[in-house]
Amino acid sequence: MQTFQFKSNLSPVDAGRREALLEAPGFGRVFTDHIATIQYSEECGWHNAKIGPREPFSLDPATLVFHYAQEIYEGMKAYRMPDGGGALFRPDANARRFRNSAERLAMPALPDNLFIESVRELVRVDRAWIPSTAGSALYLRPFMIATEVVLGVKPSSEYLYCVVATPVGPYFKGGSVTLWISENFSRAAPGGTGEAKCGGNYAASLAAQAEAIQQGCEQVVFLDAIERRWVEELGGMNVFFVFDDGSLQTPPLTGTILPGITRASLITLACDMGLTVREEPYGIDQWEADAKSGRLLEAFACGTAAVVTPIGKVKGRRHGFTVGNGGMGPVTARLKSVLLGIQNGCAPDHHGWLDRLF
Ligand SMILES: *Cc1c(COP(=O)(O)O)cnc(C)c1O
């Protein structure tokens, strides 16, 4: 096991300023004092694991990642515990997904223990940055970039892995989100990179997201690329539907949907509550019909950043409807509070999901 060499930031943000920033951090605009980095080369494998001051990189303009987007990332949070301690939520699941993303992008696998240790070490060093206000957390962004300097198209022979940390408040300000149904753009296709967490997927979704904003909506809901009929997910969140018989449904993981850890956790928690959860395709026309007939009572989006956010209105060129009363339904509220209870250390952690750091 590698040990992380530690170099302290000699000019950290002063405590008073940090406390002020933690009051209302926004999302991903304020960063902690340190960064974790590990290098990879074909000759040495993973080496030079470090926690050091957060500072700009210097990279050659011909570095591969700038040209062919060989990049992957993760998103996870460290939570403040009621006794003042800190904990991660299911970091082993992020480590596994990071390895799967690496494989799809022809990048070297970072061993799970090295991934988890890098995040733990960074959070321990920057522990003062974990906010304690309700709905806030320290968001962690592990990522890996191709750093070989060459313009030939091929997998890089060198990589840089990093973790940066940013205190965050709630991702969405309002109570629920309004969705725009993208008819012209796809997020992912069979055989593509939809189930890998890579920056390229987001680059490809931005034009659709811009269209959504232009149409007065906050987020895009993507349909499958072949039939343009089956609901897949939002640009960065999975979706769930709640029916009048108390059952839940979410699209199955068939390769074009990102396997969310929030999604998986909510399926487990819903089953614990005795609810039926189906992982089955759901058509956009059916969604509209069910919302209008009252068979569908609630719908919500979920992810590490968004946690659990109700879907209020859905619009498209051929569609327009409201789900339930457009606000947070009781099943959505219950699932959200059970999940947050575990993450914030306020409810019993029956599945052993919390990784207590200090
Ligand atoms: C990260 C992500 C999600 C949510 O995954 P979580 O592990 O729950 O945070 C959903 N969809 C996409 C496209 C994502 O990138």
Side-chain angles (χ1 to χ4, degrees), residues 73-76 93-94 97 139 141 187 194 196-198 201-202 222 233-239 256-265 302-307:
Y73 71 89
E74 268 303 321
M76 55 208 286
N94 294 96
R97 188 168 67 188
Y139 185 85
R141 170 55 59 88
R187 193 193 81 92
K197 213 165 171 69
C198 62
N201 288 341
Y202 278 75
F222 287 99
E233 62 169 316
L234 312 192
M237 284 152 258
N238 297 115
V239 287
T256 52
I257 293 177
L258 199 288
I261 294 161
T262 316
R263 175 190 179 279
S265 305
C302 68
T304 298
V307 192

Side-chain angles (χ1 to χ4, degrees), residues 40-356:
Y40 178 91
S41 67
E42 274 171 4
E43 312 80 70
C44 308
W46 291 105
H47 63 284
N48 204 12
K50 269 193 217 162
I51 305 284
R54 185 179 180 280
E55 59 197 6
F57 294 145
S58 172
L59 290 170
D60 189 284
T63 301
L64 271 179
V65 66
F66 296 142
H67 304 274
Y68 310 123
Q70 200 188 9
E71 185 267 358
I72 58 170
Y73 71 89
E74 268 303 321
M76 55 208 286
K77 282 174 174 171
Y79 301 87
R80 181 68 71 188
M81 298 290 104
D83 64 2
L88 297 171
F89 183 72
R90 308 188 73 176
D92 51 323
N94 294 96
R96 199 176 323 124
R97 188 168 67 188
F98 196 66
R99 237 189 316 109
N100 292 338
S101 298
E103 188 179 3
R104 180 63 186 83
L105 276 281
M107 298 167 104
L110 178 69
D112 289 13
N113 60 354
L114 210 45
F115 176 97
I116 295 171
E117 268 322 302
S118 68
V119 176
R120 284 179 178 157
E121 289 292 323
L122 182 66
V123 175
R124 286 190 187 113
V125 168
D126 282 337
R127 66 176 69 189
W129 286 92
I130 307 176
S132 34
T133 42
S136 300
L138 184 64
Y139 185 85
L140 299 150
R141 170 55 59 88
F143 63 102
M144 194 204 306
I145 57 173
T147 50
E148 188 179 345
V149 178
V150 60
L151 288 188
V153 179
K154 64 168 198 78
S156 180
S157 62
E158 291 166 18
Y159 296 87
L160 179 64
Y161 164 80
C162 312
V163 190
V164 292
T166 167
V168 296
Y171 193 77
F172 292 114
K173 303 264 151 43
S176 53
V177 280
T178 303
L179 304 187
W180 173 252
I181 303 163
S182 182
E183 310 235 4
N184 306 325
F185 298 109
S186 301
R187 193 193 81 92
T193 54
E195 67 182 346
K197 213 165 171 69
C198 62
N201 288 341
Y202 278 75
S205 77
L206 294 177
Q209 179 63 29
E211 190 180 86
I213 301 289
Q214 212 169 40
Q215 297 292 336
C217 299
E218 287 154 282
Q219 288 284 316
V220 181
V221 55
F222 287 99
L223 305 178
D224 77 287
I226 295 173
E227 294 184 63
R228 303 233 173 228
R229 171 180 174 199
W230 306 107
V231 177
E232 296 218 306
E233 62 169 316
L234 312 192
M237 284 152 258
N238 297 115
V239 287
F240 278 83
F241 305 96
V242 183
F243 296 91
D244 60 354
D245 63 356
S247 67
L248 277 86
Q249 188 164 331
T250 189
L253 301 177
T254 51
T256 52
I257 293 177
L258 199 288
I261 294 161
T262 316
R263 175 190 179 279
S265 305
L266 290 170
I267 291 175
T268 301
L269 294 173
C271 291
D272 290 353
M273 291 174 186
L275 301 173
T276 300
V277 186
R278 290 180 301 275
E279 292 183 69
E280 284 171 19
Y282 195 52
I284 186 67
D285 293 336
Q286 192 69 46
W287 188 2
E288 175 150 32
D290 289 344
K292 288 182 169 165
S293 74
R295 188 172 98 86
L296 181 81
L297 299 179
E298 307 174 29
F300 63 84
C302 68
T304 298
V307 192
V308 170
T309 303
I311 295 168
K313 287 193 166 69
V314 184
K315 288 195 252 178
R317 304 220 185 279
R318 302 180 297 111
H319 299 272
F321 57 95
T322 301
V323 180
N325 63 9
M328 169 101 72
V331 176
T332 305
R334 195 160 152 228
L335 283 166
K336 180 177 179 178
S337 102
V338 169
L339 178 66
L340 279 177
I342 297 170
Q343 292 174 332
N344 291 314
C346 303
D349 175 24
H350 295 299
H351 298 281
W353 286 340
L354 282 190
D355 178 38
R356 192 65 198 244

